Amino acid sequence: MDNLFGAPTHGWFYLVRRFSGFLSNLELTSLQLNDGWAKQARVRDVLNRHYWQVQSDQANGFVTGSWGKTLQVRPPRDVDLLFFLPPSEHARFEQRAGNKQSQLLQDVKSVLERTYGETTMRGDGQVVVVQFASTPVEVIPAFVLGDGTYWICDTWNGGRYVQTAPHEEIQALDVSDTANSGATRRLIRMTKQWQRHCNVPIKSFQLERIAIEFLGWWPYSRDLFWVDWMVRDFFAYLASRAGGTIIMPRTNAAVALGNAWESRARTAHAAATRAFDYERDNENILAGLEWQSIFGTLIALAVT
């Protein structure tokens, strides 16, 4: 017997149950959610005590990245905390010679080390990482600009400040997700799992922007019954964007995508194409093998 309900009566008999289970497996548990939020709150309190002389685990910052956009994937990799520094800190470091941004990150790192002395931390381009065993916290020191954007540090090539607009990134994601009946966040979570499972050298925010682009023109239904078409076509679109750029909301900054990940995108497209055919023909395990080559064991090998 093929499943609990008897033999398949139509094509793609297993598809919806397979991907429903997969999407459920990608969701964080309540314990993981509580742990991540609690860790960033403790880090924020330490920074507020030092830089603002206040006791608060909520003031002067907000959670951004996957947690701010509700795009977390199990198990969580990190929590991104954009923390506002006082304007006086900007003035203080502007008086220094050399890589001011690197020195600023080292200052934030030294503050955190007084509390988390046994925690491995590193200044890493734009962030200071508090390497908790379960959910690391990536602190992004920032200065508030008057137009609703922020300056963050970039320590490369002598150092500079980069303007960022995280609120507009979230707004663009929300608009797309609403227009596509929740498919935007579903697609991004799935591709982030591909990114992790296949060790794909592309940034998560780049996948987000490309997913929004893709769903802006993809002509088919957003119903879960069409999810194999969506995944297959997305990987083809992604591969076509190799070597291109994306434009970030509000700042209009052009970000190069590179092409180091192109071969992995083409491999995923080929596997998704085979999986599509197997799903159509109700080849339960053969379809599962192809999907697992893309997403790992969080997607079922066989469903009933």
Side-chain angles (χ1 to χ4, degrees), residues 64-72 166 169-170 173 185 205 208:
T64 184
S66 63
W67 286 69
K69 298 170 181 172
T70 59
L71 290 172
Q72 309 99 311
E169 291 181 36
I170 294 172
L173 176 62
R185 281 187 167 88
F205 78 89
E208 293 166 17

Side-chain angles (χ1 to χ4, degrees), residues 96-115:
R96 298 189 179 187
N99 192 323
K100 303 174 180 65
Q101 290 72 28
S102 178
Q103 293 174 56
L104 189 151
L105 286 183
Q106 290 299 320
D107 191 77
V108 173
K109 177 184 175 189
S110 68
V111 170
L112 290 168
E113 282 179 326
R114 295 169 199 164
T115 300

Side-chain angles (χ1 to χ4, degrees), residues 24-83:
S24 179
N25 288 340
L26 292 177
E27 293 180 3
L28 268 58
T29 66
S30 296
L31 183 63
Q32 289 168 332
L33 282 168
N34 292 337
D35 179 63
W37 285 109
K39 282 185 167 56
Q40 68 81 28
R42 291 199 295 272
V43 168
R44 197 187 311 199
D45 183 59
V46 170
L47 295 172
N48 269 317
R49 287 169 183 262
H50 177 82
Y51 288 106
W52 294 94
Q53 292 77 53
V54 297
Q55 181 178 349
S56 175
D57 61 8
Q58 298 183 32
N60 297 310
F62 58 88
V63 170
T64 184
S66 63
W67 286 69
K69 298 170 181 172
T70 59
L71 290 172
Q72 309 99 311
V73 172
R74 186 197 310 176
R77 284 180 278 195
D78 51 58
V79 179
D80 297 315
L81 171 62
L82 193 81
F83 183 77

Side-chain angles (χ1 to χ4, degrees), residues 82-148:
L82 193 81
F83 183 77
F84 309 152
L85 293 174
S88 59
E89 290 298 309
H90 179 264
R92 180 165 73 95
F93 281 93
E94 281 300 295
Q95 297 174 7
R96 298 189 179 187
N99 192 323
K100 303 174 180 65
Q101 290 72 28
S102 178
Q103 293 174 56
L104 189 151
L105 286 183
Q106 290 299 320
D107 191 77
V108 173
K109 177 184 175 189
S110 68
V111 170
L112 290 168
E113 282 179 326
R114 295 169 199 164
T115 300
Y116 302 106
E118 298 180 358
T119 300
T120 301
M121 293 185 289
R122 68 183 188 275
D124 190 16
Q126 297 180 339
V127 304
V128 174
V129 182
V130 185
Q131 195 67 48
F132 293 112
S134 55
T135 308
V137 176
E138 294 198 350
V139 179
I140 308 165
F143 294 107
V144 179
L145 302 177
D147 60 354

Side-chain angles (χ1 to χ4, degrees), residues 229-248:
W229 290 51
M230 180 185 296
V231 170
R232 179 198 64 186
D233 293 353
F234 173 79
F235 283 125
Y237 180 77
L238 177 63
S240 76
R241 296 286 277 110
T245 59
I246 54 173
I247 304 300
M248 299 304 294

